[in-house]
Amino acid sequence: MIVAANWKMNPGLSEAKKLASDYCTAAHKGVTRILFVPHPYIVPIRKRLQGSDILLGGQDCHQMQSGAHTGDVSAGMLQNCGASIVLLGHSERRAYYGETSELVAAKATMAFETGLSVMICVGETLAQRNSGDALATVLQQLTISVPVTLPTTALTIAYEPVWAIGTGKVATVAEITEMHTGIRHWLYSAGFGRTKILYGGSVNPRNAAEIFTVAHVDGALVGGASLISADFDGICAAAVA
Ligand code: PEP
């Protein structure tokens, strides 16, 4: 199982250092923990994670190796600073920065060629779900966002229904089952037999155990609850229960 924390643009540096240290005090055998931090925190948080088995990741990277891209961060910079994985195609980046699946694929290719693993997010909006297009939307995002050249173990997929992110609404077991089964079939047919699929969207210590019983759920991508170390620990504990 994988439990990944997405801190987004939170919290302040001193709180972030304490949170990372708190993560390290708990051991969760059998769970791979990943921490996606804001870019300026990669170095200070790497120091806090030293000696732990928690992997460190960036929340985005540019599709080019270097150049005139003010404000952007390259995959190589993330790697130089201690990240081993990057989160790509999060719905907030797709919605607020107009990131297309084609761009996500270009970023994923650059990240992999640089030596990073990638976690690619996919998920439907409420309108797409209500019109019966949820699965088709997600399969199309996968088809375009995932470069076929990526090795299966360098890729993780996070299924995050957009309407469940930060809203307290969680997809039902039936909805998660349908989607994760569809994604699993797609992955197999595309040659990604060993790629893991995480669920994300308002996961917390109270709902995690049920979500982890669903077929083809290999863990969770956690936003809000990852900012409270006891909640993050509770989700990790549910992953091995
Ligand atoms: C996310 O942003 O990836 C996420 C899953 O957020 P939350 O857990 O807060 O819904």
Side-chain angles (χ1 to χ4, degrees):
M1 296 291 264
I2 298 173
V3 181
N6 176 15
W7 284 358
K8 309 193 187 196
M9 202 169 68
N10 301 294
L13 180 58
S14 52
E15 202 186 320
K17 285 179 177 171
K18 170 150 187 352
L19 192 53
S21 297
D22 289 347
Y23 275 28
C24 294
T25 59
H28 294 283
K29 216 164 177 279
V31 180
T32 299
R33 288 175 291 174
I34 305 171
L35 181 44
F36 292 109
V37 299
H39 293 150
Y41 293 178
I42 299 269
V43 170
I45 296 300
R46 185 196 67 202
K47 290 184 184 147
R48 292 285 162 144
L49 297 183
Q50 242 157 29
S52 85
D53 59 1
I54 301 173
L55 303 179
L56 186 59
Q59 296 176 6
D60 183 41
C61 70
H62 199 273
Q63 69 275 19
M64 305 295 284
Q65 202 168 28
S66 60
H69 302 286
T70 304
D72 279 313
V73 167
S74 72
M77 290 168 181
L78 293 178
Q79 199 200 32
N80 291 163
C81 290
S84 59
I85 184 167
V86 63
L87 187 66
L88 295 174
H90 190 281
S91 68
E92 287 152 14
R93 298 214 57 88
R94 291 179 188 260
Y96 306 145
Y97 298 91
E99 289 200 0
T100 61
S101 291
E102 286 82 357
L103 181 60
V104 173
K107 290 181 174 197
T109 300
M110 174 54 70
F112 172 67
E113 284 173 358
T114 306
L116 296 176
S117 295
V118 299
M119 184 179 293
I120 295 179
C121 302
V122 292
E124 81 285 358
T125 62
L126 191 57
Q128 287 162 334
R129 174 155 289 278
N130 287 341
S131 60
D133 295 329
L135 185 58
T137 299
V138 164
L139 295 184
Q140 204 205 10
Q141 286 175 340
L142 286 171
T143 304
I144 303 172
S145 307
V146 177
V148 285
T149 47
L150 232 55
T152 183
T153 50
L155 171 70
T156 303
I157 298 297
Y159 165 60
E160 301 202 296
V162 178
W163 47 271
I165 295 178
T167 59
K169 290 184 195 140
V170 184
T172 64
V173 165
E175 288 166 341
I176 301 174
T177 305
E178 187 205 16
M179 195 59 78
H180 279 239
T181 304
I183 294 172
R184 175 55 65 211
H185 284 150
W186 185 90
L187 287 170
Y188 269 129
S189 61
F192 296 103
R194 291 175 61 200
T195 291
K196 307 246 184 199
I197 313 167
L198 312 188
Y199 170 80
S202 297
V203 177
N204 62 45
R206 293 162 298 286
N207 60 27
E210 184 179 40
I211 293 167
F212 292 147
T213 63
V214 178
H216 308 300
V217 171
D218 303 310
L221 177 56
V222 185
S226 71
L227 295 169
I228 300 166
S229 69
D231 284 1
F232 188 68
D233 278 341
I235 296 167
C236 292
V240 279

